[in-house]
Amino acid sequence: MDMHLSSNNGPAVEPDAAQPDAIAPEGAALRIPGPAKERLVVVGNGMAGMKTVEELLAKAPGRFEITVFGAEPHPNYNRIMLSPVLAGEKSFDQIVLNSREWYDANGIALLTGEAVEGIDREAKTVVSQSGRVVPYDRLLIATGSMPFIIPVPGSTLPGVVGFRDLADVDAMLAAAAKGGRAVVIGGGLLGLEAANGLRVKGMDVTVIHLMPTLMERQLDPSAGMLLQRELERRGIAVLTGADTAEIVGDEQVRAVRLKDGRELPADIVVMAVGIRPNMALGRAAGLECGRGIRVDDRMRTSDPSIFAVGECVEHRGLTYGLVAPLFEMAKVLAHDLAGGEDGAYTGSVTSTKLKVTGVDVFSAGDFSGGEGTEEILFRDASRGVYKRLVLKDNRLLGAVLYGDTRDGAWYVSLLKDGADVSAERDTMIFGQGFGGADGGDPNAAVAALPDSAEICGCNGVCKGTIVKAITEKGLTSLDEVKAHTKASASCGGCSGTVEALLAATLGDGFKAAPTVKPMCKCTHHSHDAVRASIVERGLKTMAEVFQAMDWTTADGCASCRPALNYYLLCAWPGEYKDDYQSRYINERAHANIQKDGTYSVVPRMWGGLTSASELRAIADVVDKFAIPTVKVTGGQRIDLFGVKKEDLPAVWADLNAAGMVSGHAYAKGLRTVKTCVGSEWCRFGTQDSTGLGVKLERMTWGTWTPHKVKLAVSGCPRNCAEATIKDLGVVCIDSGYELHVGGNGGLHVRACDLLVRVATEEEVLEYTGAFMQLYREEARYLERTAPWVERVGLDHIKAALVGDAERRRALNARFLFSQSFSQDDPWAERAAQGVDRHEFKLLADVG
């Protein structure tokens, strides 16, 4: 048990003999609530209870002596952010809502790791599991809910966990560290987030769900199916209509058996089939209970001194499990405790705005449809967007959004107001900003929202609260709004909306000051942030990136699309399909366009070697297609200039027939490996530089990189192959090989930095693969190795490749794995297989 006690309420005093033993542990000096203040005891250190305390402190600071009991050993944290903790996207410290210092600063006695086990209503005391007795004048029960465990055989086996608190997350992380298979029972939000987290951690995951579609309470069948397909595309198996019969195992869970006889192997089973109000304390105290602890509109229980909020309560026959209703209850109760008399909680219009494994989903109201209702549908399969509005008598009855949830707050406002939507029903499916005088201006759209519109679903912060904080406290930045209101402080999904509110409220006074350069005008995220999100959030298409990262344009631009295409190729080799249209003209045509509109063609010559048959084939091609210029390049290859675009496939076919493939002279990828003749012919040569160059080129050709890459191997320190101004250069020495990195010629010549000296060719190949992969994974699109090395520093690269052999081997392994999907000759695909045939077809002969 951990205990934090107030230290700003005067000197410590001994327990008052006239009162039951206060909050004193044995032998400890305590601070006892003074007689002038009422004593408020809060049972439950979760989001609902502490939201009440926060609101109370804001409305009536110092009115109560507050004691908070928490069963968990932690300070108050954002429970809905446990999923990012599981997925490794956030640390626990990042989801703490109120630190222990906050409790101290507000004079709150916090008792963590100590559950309350009883209430003596007559004596007005609570007793904890350690026997501590604490008196109260007002008692708030906020014990939340408990995960429901299906009572099937084997449900108590080790390895069966719920998903409710940090201990459950720790159990799942421990299981994931061993690898293996996970079965998640329950296709609701928690189940899917658990599945995603375990999948990200490397487990093979199967979700089994009793109902026909996922998240059937929040999504209609169509949206549920879209979500299922998306999960399956990410490698999570989903079985719907699957009923659990038994958890199989002896001393540890081994499998899950379904009622249809199927058996799914499992090293861990996550039960995420729902929650039940935790009303045991209230029931034992004799409070009136139904589905939860019953409360009235002022959150009073059947005992006027005892209140309850959150998932543990039943209000007007309903229970709630979403954040917004809990916070609404908290505000009403805080108002009441602060002396207000006109507050009342009358229930919540339930809306759900969630990010399920990176996919935005939203629902509100009654979307079941039925007699007398009308539906408005919008589908955009390429962007993964689905919208469905349900209307009755020209009033919005319910809404389901998948993939694009930006207008959720607006739809909720229409629902709450019961507004007649006759005037906008033709366009309302496209959102609030569609076709209006604002031209779709997001600032104008958010300015039009009512003050009651919820902006931050995680923390239940409405527009009015944010605007009030901006104007009254002089806030001018997103960080300041986060600090004062907690809006966007959790998942950050509403950051764009909060910034729009800042802009709409402050006008020119709002200067969004990005700390990093945005990737392009379509986003405020940097290249690094986008790359990190692609990996961490499992984004595998451009549409997912646009959706998940709030792109301001529907399809990106000429700047971000090629970069995203590369980042996705790099992150998901073998899974992501190259987007042909997101490449520059040279990479689409697989040749370099010249100033007269013709192209140059460079066949690959491995290590600069060629043969009589290759030279004859090149000569024949030159004659056959009347190619006007043939030139030897600085990379020891032959360049054919003046090839008509429509002739390219035929030229490639003839070169392919002679055994030559594309030299990728146009690519953001490996261009050449320049070599000298080395020890085979040169009297100064120390190693077989040509042979090593051929091996390096055969290993690295076809790769896609942030920018062009050139390699070279010199047979001795005389460096005839100019290896020390290449992206990676090898200089052979008597004792082995020197590896140099980060050089280039061109406008700003940069000599390489010495990375390492090694003894064998195998080490050269491993270092090269690892260096290439590190560059591929860390450099920004269109950033060559020279500026990348200068930006991250040679020490950083040495630490990854020289100082960490395991990481070097892993990088090399990832490079070779990626190469297994990229070493297909693009010329052959287009010459023989007709790939992208339209690119080389004349539209018409003119003149």
Side-chain angles (χ1 to χ4, degrees):
M1 176 196 70
D2 294 323
M3 180 171 64
H4 275 227
L5 299 176
S6 165
S7 59
N8 61 351
N9 293 301
V13 297
E14 292 301 320
D16 187 343
Q19 299 196 30
D21 185 18
I23 52 178
E26 290 184 8
L30 295 183
R31 308 182 191 281
I32 298 299
K37 294 183 179 180
E38 288 187 276
R39 296 162 299 190
L40 172 65
V41 172
V42 182
V43 182
N45 190 33
M47 296 176 70
M50 294 318 300
K51 182 67 173 179
T52 307
V53 173
E54 289 176 8
E55 294 284 337
L56 181 58
L57 291 173
K59 295 177 183 296
R63 176 165 182 153
F64 289 92
E65 289 286 352
I66 302 173
T67 302
V68 177
F69 283 90
E72 292 184 69
H74 315 290
N76 173 233
Y77 63 88
N78 190 338
R79 198 176 299 276
I80 63 176
M81 298 304 290
L82 285 174
S83 299
V85 175
L86 174 62
E89 297 167 358
K90 287 184 180 289
S91 66
F92 174 72
D93 288 342
Q94 291 175 305
I95 69 168
V96 170
L97 294 173
N98 295 301
S99 66
R100 294 185 185 278
E101 290 74 22
W102 177 87
Y103 290 86
D104 289 341
N106 287 284
I108 299 171
L110 173 63
L111 301 165
T112 56
E114 184 162 3
V116 170
E117 295 190 335
I119 302 171
D120 185 336
R121 292 169 53 190
E122 186 173 346
K124 287 194 172 183
T125 60
V126 298
V127 59
S128 71
Q129 62 186 35
S130 68
R132 188 189 314 275
V133 177
V134 178
Y136 66 84
D137 298 304
R138 311 282 187 99
L139 175 64
L140 170 57
I141 302 176
T143 46
S145 59
M146 302 288 288
F148 177 62
I149 302 296
I150 306 173
V152 294
S155 61
T156 59
L157 278 170
V160 179
V161 301
F163 189 13
R164 191 61 188 156
D165 55 30
L166 192 62
D168 296 328
V169 172
D170 289 340
M172 283 187 268
L173 288 174
K178 302 175 185 175
R181 289 161 293 197
V183 171
V184 177
I185 302 176
L189 173 65
L190 280 179
L192 299 184
E193 292 290 11
N196 180 60
L198 292 169
R199 176 63 181 159
V200 169
K201 292 297 180 183
M203 299 195 82
D204 292 329
V205 181
T206 300
V207 174
I208 59 178
H209 190 53
L210 181 62
M211 304 306 290
T213 58
L214 299 174
M215 293 186 67
E216 72 282 353
R217 292 185 180 179
Q218 290 84 22
L219 301 177
D220 64 7
S222 295
M225 284 302 298
L226 284 172
L227 183 58
Q228 179 175 341
R229 289 173 188 167
E230 179 60 27
L231 294 172
E232 290 171 340
R233 195 185 63 77
R234 296 184 185 195
I236 298 173
V238 178
L239 302 176
T240 55
D243 198 358
T244 304
E246 179 183 3
I247 310 296
V248 182
D250 298 320
E251 297 180 354
Q252 173 72 24
V253 63
R254 181 169 53 81
V256 174
R257 184 173 296 137
L258 304 179
K259 288 186 177 178
D260 62 10
R262 284 179 289 178
E263 188 167 298
L264 308 172
D267 300 294
I268 185 172
V269 173
V270 180
M271 287 266 199
V273 294
I275 57 175
R276 284 181 171 175
N278 183 7
M279 56 182 171
L281 185 64
R283 174 170 282 165
L287 299 178
E288 185 177 341
C289 294
R291 298 168 61 192
I293 300 172
R294 285 180 174 150
V295 295
D296 62 15
D297 288 355
R298 298 175 70 181
M299 312 314 297
R300 295 175 185 270
T301 69
S302 53
D303 182 327
S305 297
I306 302 178
F307 305 81
V309 293
E311 294 173 340
C312 64
V313 310
E314 175 190 320
H315 174 263
R316 297 189 182 187
L318 298 176
T319 59
Y320 294 94
L322 299 174
V323 172
L326 311 188
F327 284 1
E328 290 172 13
M329 296 178 194
K331 290 177 181 177
V332 169
L333 176 56
H335 179 78
D336 188 273
L337 292 173
E341 297 180 350
D342 54 348
Y345 175 71
T346 57
S348 299
V349 174
T350 305
S351 66
T352 306
K353 184 177 181 180
L354 304 167
K355 192 177 288 292
V356 184
T357 64
V359 179
D360 289 312
V361 298
F362 168 91
S363 68
D366 180 3
F367 52 84
S368 60
E371 187 175 353
T373 63
E374 303 170 89
E375 295 184 358
I376 303 176
L377 283 175
F378 174 85
R379 298 177 192 273
D380 185 340
S382 63
R383 288 198 301 134
V385 174
Y386 166 83
K387 301 180 180 181
R388 175 169 168 255
L389 303 180
V390 180
L391 279 64
K392 188 173 185 179
D393 300 329
N394 283 323
R395 285 172 172 73
L396 186 62
L397 199 62
V400 177
L401 310 178
Y402 178 94
D404 180 357
T405 62
R406 288 173 292 183
D407 289 294
W410 181 51
Y411 292 133
V412 170
S413 297
L414 295 176
L415 273 166
K416 287 183 174 178
D417 296 343
D420 187 326
V421 297
S422 302
E424 58 261 72
R425 62 170 294 156
D426 289 345
T427 59
M428 63 187 296
I429 193 71
F430 302 111
Q432 187 178 19
F434 178 81
D438 52 49
D441 179 1
N443 296 343
V446 79
L449 290 172
D451 284 349
S452 58
E454 184 180 86
I455 303 300
C456 176
C458 294
N459 294 302
V461 186
C462 296
K463 174 192 169 185
T465 302
I466 298 172
V467 172
K468 183 179 179 182
I470 292 171
T471 54
E472 292 186 355
K473 300 180 184 298
L475 311 183
T476 59
S477 70
L478 177 63
D479 286 341
E480 290 176 341
V481 173
K482 286 181 185 177
H484 284 84
T485 69
K486 293 191 176 179
S488 82
S490 293
C491 77
C494 61
S495 297
T497 308
V498 174
E499 287 188 323
L501 269 178
L502 277 161
T505 306
L506 300 176
D508 293 339
F510 172 59
K511 303 294 184 186
T515 56
V516 294
K517 182 181 178 181
M519 186 171 167
C520 68
K521 62 181 175 56
C522 304
T523 179
H524 63 277
H525 295 292
S526 67
H527 281 266
D528 296 341
V530 171
R531 295 201 75 171
S533 284
I534 286 172
V535 175
E536 292 170 1
R537 302 162 75 176
L539 308 178
K540 296 188 177 179
T541 66
M542 286 198 204
E544 288 180 6
V545 175
F546 296 156
Q547 195 65 43
M549 304 196 73
D550 294 327
W551 235 246
T552 59
T553 55
D555 297 307
C557 67
S559 177
C560 63
R561 288 191 69 93
L564 289 175
N565 189 50
Y566 167 70
Y567 293 154
L568 290 162
L569 268 176
C570 180
W572 311 113
E575 296 183 63
Y576 174 73
K577 187 176 184 301
D578 180 42
D579 185 41
Y580 158 83
Q581 293 183 326
S582 295
R583 292 195 173 279
Y584 297 121
I585 178 58
N586 287 351
E587 291 185 336
R588 292 204 305 273
H590 291 274
N592 281 321
I593 192 168
Q594 303 299 312
K595 66 180 184 180
D596 63 352
T598 63
Y599 287 79
S600 73
V601 172
V602 181
R604 188 167 294 283
M605 291 181 174
W606 307 100
L609 294 174
T610 187
S611 65
S613 61
E614 287 184 352
L615 293 173
R616 287 192 189 94
I618 290 173
D620 290 343
V621 165
V622 170
D623 288 342
K624 181 177 179 181
F625 295 95
I627 295 172
T629 301
V630 180
K631 186 182 183 305
V632 176
T633 73
Q636 299 178 332
R637 305 193 290 188
I638 293 177
D639 201 342
L640 313 181
F641 286 91
V643 182
K644 297 176 182 176
K645 188 175 185 182
E646 60 270 26
D647 287 341
L648 286 171
V651 168
W652 297 336
D654 286 359
L655 294 172
N656 280 160
M660 287 178 278
V661 298
S662 170
H664 290 87
Y666 47 82
K668 307 291 185 292
L670 188 279
R671 298 286 182 88
T672 66
V673 180
K674 187 175 182 179
T675 66
C676 66
V677 294
S679 59
E680 185 176 4
W681 295 98
C682 179
R683 57 196 175 96
F684 299 109
T686 62
Q687 309 286 350
D688 180 12
S689 54
T690 305
L692 178 56
V694 172
K695 292 176 184 175
L696 285 170
E697 188 159 3
R698 290 200 177 277
M699 182 182 81
T700 55
W701 79 279
T703 185
W704 293 109
T705 49
H707 209 302
K708 62 184 177 184
V709 171
K710 296 179 180 179
L711 275 57
V713 183
S714 289
C716 77
R718 289 172 176 77
N719 195 16
C720 293
E722 302 169 330
T724 50
I725 57 167
K726 301 300 182 187
D727 296 280
L728 185 147
V730 181
V731 176
C732 302
I733 55 179
D734 289 335
S735 59
Y737 309 87
E738 289 180 347
L739 270 63
H740 301 257
V741 298
N744 64 216
L747 192 61
H748 303 289
V749 178
R750 183 182 192 275
C752 288
D753 297 310
L754 176 62
L755 176 67
V756 67
R757 292 184 178 88
V758 298
T760 67
E761 287 192 348
E762 288 72 24
E763 290 174 289
V764 172
L765 294 172
E766 181 178 289
Y767 269 97
T768 300
F771 175 79
M772 292 285 285
Q773 188 65 16
L774 190 66
Y775 170 58
R776 295 179 78 232
E777 293 180 358
E778 293 191 351
R780 298 160 186 163
Y781 190 65
L782 300 184
E783 184 179 39
R784 288 202 65 180
T785 61
W788 169 63
V789 169
E790 291 186 349
R791 177 168 63 84
V792 301
L794 183 64
D795 289 344
H796 168 77
I797 296 170
K798 281 188 172 180
L801 304 184
V802 183
D804 189 341
E806 184 177 351
R807 186 178 180 192
R808 180 178 70 245
R809 286 191 288 270
L811 283 164
N812 183 48
R814 290 204 294 278
F815 178 74
L816 297 178
F817 176 73
S818 176
Q819 287 296 89
S820 68
F821 300 101
S822 66
Q823 290 191 324
D824 294 319
D825 178 30
W827 287 359
E829 291 175 335
R830 282 148 188 82
Q833 302 169 28
V835 173
D836 299 333
R837 182 180 292 119
H838 63 282
E839 182 72 47
F840 310 100
K841 187 176 180 181
L842 284 175
L843 296 176
D845 287 321
V846 179

